[in-house]
Amino acid sequence: MFFDHLELAPADPILGLTDAFKADTNPKKVNLGVGVYQNEHGVTPVLKCVKEAEKILVETEQSKSYLPITGLPDYGRLTRELLFGKDSALVSDGRAVTCHCPGGTGALRIAADFIYQQHIASRVWISDPTWGNHFQIVEAAGLKTERYPYYDRAAHALAFDRMLDTLEQASEGDVVIIHACCHNPTGIDPTPEQWDQIADFLARKKLLPLIDFAYQGFGKGLEEDAYGVRKILEKNSEVLIASSFSKNFGMYNERVGALTAVSATKEVGTNVLSQIKLAIRCAISNPPAHGEKVVITVLSNPDLRLMWEQELAEMRERMSRMRNLLAEKLKAAGAGDFDFITKQNGMFSFSGLTKEQVEQLRAEFGIYIVGSGRMCVAGINDENVDYLADAITKVVKGA
Ligand code: LMR
């Protein structure tokens, strides 16, 4: 028999929580697990700008034939405009090439395949903590992983000095995965001054940055959130960027991401693109069309673009409001000082709750949080915030 020896694999630590949440019969249950936006009614809506673009596509789309391996050229250009800024030379000078990959995860996997297949590096440094899937993706591609410290648990802050001290041990040519903004899971991002130092450090050590940019627009704004990426590009001539429209377009299930590779010259960029195309061809052949056509339609139509930016700002502001409200309610309930969560960015809050406390919240209160203590603040609303604050208070006080 071929399969008899197989054991049951554990559920995914993040996506498995959604299944467990759905099966929970507690009427007060709250889902703060997976990084998916929910509005004040606990619903993950289709953005209005996306609906409008879909109407246009239904009317105008003429064919469902294959897309090019890279996706459509307009998708690449519009993605680069968001990453680098509309006026950046990198948008069209040929140094930067972009391929549509299925979601940010697909982009990371294609990047890792490309790195492995082209013998670009064998070691990848990953922040500790990080998004759990980083290790699996990189190792599945055949690369070795190392950790660099990122979070100072006592201070609830970036462990900046320890991060750079550890990365001193990296060898020339190693890859470093960097979260561009809204660090997953901590919500702690470098300051502009720290980004400047990181950019210099990567250049001095000759490390290849692989930037994971899944949350553009969820931190401070589309432009502000790109500060680190752009600073790294000022100092480093070769960079890989895995970006995603899952979150900022709310198109989680359309799998719309991109891998952008920046090279020192246009000639090298052409060769890089040809090799990334090989990696894509043998992984997925060519990308799905619907999501990228929605992105193109929205970003190239001034009215829809404006609508998108407004909807994105609404999501960002709601999450920030809920983060502050929770900190306030926790203080009022006597849980202690949770002010540190107001300093975190984006979708996640690293609560400092232990694995046992996370389990207790789930078992006794139907509150679902990732085992590391990461909470998706988008799951908080005016209706559940008191319940949540009371439950967390009971759990931290050992009640
Ligand atoms: C998350 O971190 O919750 C999201 O990025 C969803 C995922 O795929 O894990």
Side-chain angles (χ1 to χ4, degrees):
M1 302 303 275
F2 292 108
F3 305 142
D4 275 7
H5 65 289
L6 296 182
E7 289 173 9
L8 188 67
D12 183 82
I14 297 177
L15 299 184
L17 280 183
T18 307
D19 298 333
F21 175 79
K22 281 188 187 146
D24 193 329
T25 52
N26 184 339
K28 294 189 145 178
K29 64 185 178 177
V30 182
N31 188 4
L32 308 183
V34 67
V36 169
Y37 181 77
Q38 299 171 48
N39 66 16
E40 60 279 21
H41 307 297
V43 171
T44 303
V46 181
L47 298 190
K48 291 191 202 76
C49 63
V50 169
K51 279 277 185 211
E52 290 303 320
E54 287 179 325
K55 283 186 210 157
I56 295 172
L57 287 175
V58 165
E59 292 302 322
T60 57
E61 198 170 43
Q62 298 296 334
S63 172
K64 294 279 185 194
S65 181
Y66 292 125
L67 293 190
I69 293 174
T70 55
L72 294 166
D74 279 349
Y75 178 75
R77 177 181 53 80
L78 291 161
T79 298
R80 289 194 294 280
E81 283 186 11
L82 283 174
L83 299 179
F84 308 135
K86 213 170 166 10
D87 300 326
S88 166
L90 283 173
V91 172
S92 49
D93 68 4
R95 280 183 54 210
V97 294
T98 304
C99 295
H100 174 182
C101 298
T105 305
L108 286 165
R109 178 58 197 260
I110 295 295
D113 284 347
F114 165 68
I115 291 166
Y116 179 81
Q117 289 161 7
Q118 301 310 318
H119 311 289
I120 288 162
S122 56
R123 227 164 40 147
V124 180
W125 294 78
I126 300 179
S127 74
D128 179 18
T130 194
W131 178 49
N133 218 9
H134 275 155
F135 284 98
Q136 307 186 94
I137 292 169
V138 168
E139 287 168 7
L143 298 165
K144 290 193 205 71
T145 51
E146 297 282 349
R147 289 164 198 260
Y148 63 86
Y150 188 85
Y151 189 65
D152 180 336
R153 279 171 199 274
H156 303 290
L158 177 61
F160 188 68
D161 293 341
R162 281 199 292 126
M163 169 170 97
L164 293 192
D165 284 351
T166 303
L167 284 173
E168 276 296 347
Q169 295 162 29
S171 311
E172 179 177 330
D174 282 358
V175 176
V176 186
I177 295 187
I178 307 225
H179 300 234
C181 71
C182 309
H183 181 270
N184 182 359
T186 68
I188 302 283
D189 294 325
T191 62
E193 295 69 34
Q194 288 169 334
W195 276 124
D196 298 354
Q197 287 184 54
I198 292 169
D200 286 333
F201 179 92
L202 294 167
R204 175 173 66 75
K205 290 282 296 174
K206 297 193 169 57
L207 303 172
L208 175 63
L210 167 51
I211 304 177
D212 185 346
F213 202 3
Y215 294 93
Q216 187 172 11
F218 267 28
K220 298 200 160 51
L222 286 168
E223 291 294 303
E224 294 88 332
D225 292 349
Y227 182 90
V229 172
R230 296 178 192 175
K231 197 37 92 171
I232 287 173
L233 279 157
E234 272 176 30
K235 301 289 170 77
N236 296 265
S237 55
E238 293 178 313
V239 175
L240 294 170
I241 304 163
S243 59
S244 172
F245 291 106
S246 297
K247 321 281 172 171
N248 55 17
F249 265 76
M251 288 203 293
Y252 305 89
N253 65 14
E254 299 293 357
R255 312 311 295 136
V256 216
L259 174 60
T260 298
V262 181
S263 305
T265 64
K266 181 180 173 175
E267 292 66 37
V268 177
T270 305
N271 294 346
V272 166
L273 181 64
S274 69
Q275 298 294 348
I276 292 177
K277 280 167 71 177
L278 286 185
I280 294 175
R281 176 69 171 141
C282 68
I284 59 156
S285 189
N286 47 67
H290 183 71
E292 79 162 69
K293 287 189 178 173
V294 169
V295 168
I296 293 170
T297 307
V298 170
L299 294 183
S300 45
N301 172 317
D303 293 338
L304 293 185
R305 161 96 193 205
L306 184 66
M307 194 187 280
W308 173 57
E309 289 197 23
Q310 283 165 348
E311 290 184 276
L312 179 57
E314 260 169 47
M315 293 194 279
R316 177 172 65 243
E317 282 156 19
R318 201 190 88 72
M319 288 187 287
S320 163
R321 211 156 40 76
M322 289 302 122
R323 173 190 294 294
N324 292 334
L325 187 61
L326 179 65
E328 209 177 279
K329 296 275 184 186
L330 284 170
K331 200 172 204 171
D337 187 3
F338 274 83
D339 259 8
F340 64 89
I341 66 176
T342 64
K343 299 192 178 67
Q344 301 164 344
N345 282 318
M347 206 165 208
F348 303 119
S349 177
F350 210 48
S351 62
L353 294 172
T354 63
K355 206 166 184 310
E356 292 69 33
Q357 290 169 332
V358 168
E359 272 162 20
Q360 194 186 344
L361 279 172
R362 174 171 162 177
E364 286 178 27
F365 301 94
I367 294 171
Y368 288 73
I369 291 175
V370 176
S372 61
R374 186 195 85 172
M375 301 189 285
C376 175
V377 293
I380 307 173
N381 56 46
D382 289 319
E383 296 223 328
N384 65 22
V385 68
D386 288 310
Y387 176 67
L388 199 56
D390 283 348
I392 293 175
T393 307
K394 286 195 181 109
V395 165
V396 294
K397 289 186 146 178

